[in-house]
Amino acid sequence: MKRDSEIANPRCRSRWVMFGAAALMTLSCSSTDTDPGGDDVAAVVVTPPSSTIAVGAQLPLQAQVQDATGKILPAASIVWSVKDSAIATVSANGVVTARAVGTTQVAANSNGKSGIAAITVNKTPVAAVVVRPTHVDAVAGSKTQLSAVAYDAAQNALSDRAIIWTTSNVSVATVDAAGMMTAVAAGSATITGTSEGKSDAATVSVTQGPVTTVVVTPDSVSMLTTQTTQLAATARDATGAAITGATFIWSSSSTAVASVSPGGVVTAVSAGTATITATSNGHSGTARVTVTAIPVATVTVSPSSVSLAPSASTTLTAIMKDANGNVLPNRAVTWLSGNSSIATVSSLGVVTAVALGTTTITATSEGKSGTASVTVAPAPVASVTVSPSPSSVIVGQTTTLTATVKDASGGVLTGRIVTWASSNTAVATVSASGTVTGVAVGSATITATSEGQSGTSALTVNAIPVGSVTVAPTSASVDQGLTTTLVATVKNVNGVVVTDRVVTWASSNTAVATVSSTGVVTGASAGTATITATCEGKSGSSTVTVVSYPVATVTVSPSTVSVINGQTTTLTATVKDQHGVVVTDRVVTWASANPGIATVSSTGVVTGVAPGTATITATSEGKSGSATVTVTVAPVGTVTVSPPSATILVLGSTTLTVVVKDVNGTVVTNRVVTWSSSNPLVATVSSTGVVSGLTPGTATITATSEGKSGSSAITVTLAPVATVTVAPASTSVASGSTPQFTATLKDANGNVLTGRTVTWASSNTGVATVSSSGVATALLVGTATITATSEGKSGSGTITVTPGPVASVQVSPPSASMAVNGTAQLSATALDAQGNTITGLAFSWQTSNGQVATVDSGGLVTGKKAGTATITAVTGTKSGTSAITVTP
């Protein structure tokens, strides 16, 4: 319904009273057509009843008109108004637009009844803060200006927002309220700019400035020789800040006076002055060192006493110390002998013995003296050596040993008394002159001693050697297999029989006769042999003749035996003569009663030919013995499975083959073979060796026959993906939708594969994205291909994105100015939630103040009188506005 003036509208008049300041308050009003049944209106409810929005944002309010029973009157007309249009405006359909910070009220009026919503408008919130530059490399002491800009969610700069600056490490860098950063010391810090909880940061790397000065502390020092002191050097930059980590080169102007280590430790060397310099990066600092010599307090001669043989010499040492007991090196020393006729001393402290006696040697340095007592005496015995060592003698005979006496320098001393002794006089004795006499066989140690020093010789007393060996009887006869005893008589070189000597026996022909270690001869076979007894290289012998007897019995062992077909076993024939003596020199012939069952060689080796029983006979000189041989079937020796390893696919199969051989290595096909799998969950095997893959993994397939086994390592792998099919193949959805795509994987045989990894990708992520589970998200109008890939195979579907429902309306231009009777053409654009333009929609146009400006159905605005009005374009429940200013 058209109105000449909203002020004349009774609904608007009611709002003036409602807000309580009609004469001072300006209201903007909008309305819809008057409801013919409006007199039934009892209440108007506005939702939400209170809201907070940011400047520039829009908020749609909803109003329900109710009668006295609470029934909603959908046809009732509603007029919207705002208490303070400088803070917010409201469109004809209840869309509130925030204009400035503050609070106001929005009313919905219908037939004199009103509902109110409280509106609070806040500043546009800060969405992000950008600090520039993002990184600063600075030298300690320098300053750098940082800047920070706050932005809202639409990336508009907010120039009226305060920035709070902070630093993560004030010892490295500080920052003031204006963002001026000052580098303090080497290190790293983060400078952060914050506004309304949003922040950004710049990293700062501070390095030391170059060295400009070097200071050495202390700058002067006094020292005594041999003392040390630690100097310290500090490098500073142009700001005077100490530079950490600086390295210094230390030097001395006179190392003869004072030296300095690479760490600045000064050592006083000799009296004088020196300048110690520390240099870093071309800059130096110095310290003056004055060194004073430490006076000698004591002189000590070492050793304090010494004994020398005439003409011998030794070197004495003078040790000078200060009052604190510290050794003073490099001091001048003079030496003096109290009696140079007994001993002299050189300027270096070398004492030389002249004659027997005692004197004092004195060392003097800087007026302080020390002494040592020197005694000249004959050289003492230092060692005694006995030769020969070792030595030996025969019982009853003698040998002479010699003792050599020497002093410490190795000089031979004569005229010294030597005493001799034997450790075992029952074995050997020794005279005062060193003559040793052998008493009995054994060992003894002969010792020579002089002035407490001794030398020894290890003496062995040997027995009188053997002179002859005779064997009795000189000839003998023995039956084959029987024994006879020979006797050996041993005499020494004096012709005396000795019984304590070792005799060894030997036979010239052990095939005829053997002899024991005690001379017992055993006849082995007919013939003649010489038996010899030997002792200490002397020998005697006896001729032995062995007589043989005819075969009396032949015995075969074992008497019964079992042999596997194709294998062998050895029988033994024992031949004895009439005395029951085993004879080994007789010819034995072997025979089999059934060569088809078993054969026998000339040495008694039986070979199984076929299963059954045969008698094997051994014969010698007409006498025989036999054994029963049973030939059995050859058992399985090996089982071999081929191939030894194989790889099959899940649900695939392969056939293994088995070769069974007996212990002779012959392939046998009549044996029972059983098959088994070590992991039936991975692979099973049939009774014929067919292996079937069930799940990925490994299993060992084993074939067993008569306890022997062979195996094959089976690896079961997943069938590779052959095809990937994506469903739906194509779909068309509105922006903002999230359709689900699915991928079906199959192998080369068309079997569906599960449990495989699938990766999803979109050809155009600006139009649509896709998650790892195939859920697509439609973003902007357009077309994209959604692809699923698994194991190098791919399939795809097409998604076409159409505009979604209207989310907002934009009116262009957003503001316009015109003269009275002037016109301005506005246009409206509908957008979905993703900002896509929606075409083909109709818009209705409204004005908030028809006295100031009117608008036709095509958006053409005509200025009526000076003032302001809001032009609103509405489609469905969404609207957009343009601020119109009409000038005279």
Side-chain angles (χ1 to χ4, degrees), residues 373-611:
S373 174
V374 176
T375 299
V376 181
V381 174
S383 65
V384 177
T385 305
V386 178
S387 60
S389 179
S391 57
S392 64
V393 65
I394 294 173
V395 174
Q397 295 187 8
T398 62
T399 186
T400 300
L401 303 181
T402 301
T404 301
V405 181
K406 294 182 179 181
D407 61 18
S409 62
V412 175
L413 303 176
T414 60
R416 304 299 170 96
I417 297 173
V418 177
T419 59
W420 293 86
S422 169
S423 65
N424 192 346
T425 55
V427 172
T429 61
V430 61
S431 70
S433 61
T435 299
V436 179
T437 301
V439 177
V441 175
S443 298
T445 300
I446 305 302
T447 303
T449 303
S450 179
E451 297 180 13
Q453 304 298 320
S454 298
T456 63
S457 175
L459 176 71
T460 301
V461 179
N462 297 317
I464 299 172
V466 172
S468 64
V469 177
T470 58
V471 177
T474 57
S475 63
S477 177
V478 63
D479 291 341
Q480 182 177 354
L482 298 182
T483 63
T484 187
T485 301
L486 301 181
V487 177
T489 301
V490 180
K491 294 181 180 181
N492 62 23
V493 292
N494 299 322
V496 178
V497 174
V498 290
T499 57
D500 58 345
R501 308 302 169 91
V502 176
V503 177
T504 58
W505 294 86
S507 171
S508 65
N509 190 344
T510 55
V512 172
T514 61
V515 63
S516 72
S517 61
T518 59
V520 177
V521 179
T522 301
S525 62
T528 300
T530 300
I531 304 301
T532 302
T534 302
C535 181
E536 296 180 12
K538 303 297 182 179
S539 299
S541 63
S542 175
T543 302
V544 176
T545 301
V546 179
V547 180
S548 64
Y549 292 89
V551 172
T553 61
V554 176
T555 305
V556 177
S557 62
S559 59
T560 60
V561 68
S562 178
V563 64
I564 295 172
N565 180 25
Q567 295 192 4
T568 62
T569 186
T570 300
L571 300 179
T572 302
T574 302
V575 182
K576 295 182 179 180
D577 61 17
Q578 60 189 17
H579 300 292
V581 176
V582 175
V583 290
T584 58
D585 58 344
R586 309 304 163 90
V587 176
V588 178
T589 58
W590 294 86
S592 170
N594 193 345
I597 300 297
T599 61
V600 63
S601 71
S602 60
T603 58
V605 177
V606 179
T607 301
V609 177

Side-chain angles (χ1 to χ4, degrees), residues 70-115:
K71 179 182 178 181
I72 296 175
L73 303 175
S77 63
I78 298 173
V79 177
W80 293 89
S81 60
V82 66
K83 181 178 180 180
D84 189 344
S85 59
I87 294 174
T89 60
V90 64
S91 69
N93 57 355
V95 177
V96 177
T97 301
R99 297 300 185 188
V101 176
T103 59
T104 186
Q105 294 175 317
V106 174
N109 182 277
S110 180
N111 199 29
K113 303 296 183 180
S114 299

Side-chain angles (χ1 to χ4, degrees), residues 1-6 816 818-826 844-873 882-886:
M1 180 180 68
K2 296 183 179 179
R3 300 177 301 279
D4 294 334
S5 172
E6 291 183 342
M818 68 189 71
V820 174
N821 297 323
T823 61
Q825 180 63 57
L826 302 181
S844 62
W845 295 86
Q846 300 170 358
T847 179
S848 65
N849 193 340
Q851 293 181 354
V852 173
T854 60
V855 61
D856 64 14
S857 60
L860 180 64
V861 180
T862 302
K864 296 299 184 180
K865 71 173 185 178
T868 59
T870 300
I871 305 301
T872 303
S882 177
I884 300 299
T885 301
V886 180

Side-chain angles (χ1 to χ4, degrees), residues 720-724 745 756-759 787-795:
V721 174
T723 61
V724 178
L745 314 180
R756 305 303 173 87
T757 300
V758 178
T759 57
T787 302
T789 302
S790 180
E791 298 178 13
K793 302 298 182 180
S794 299

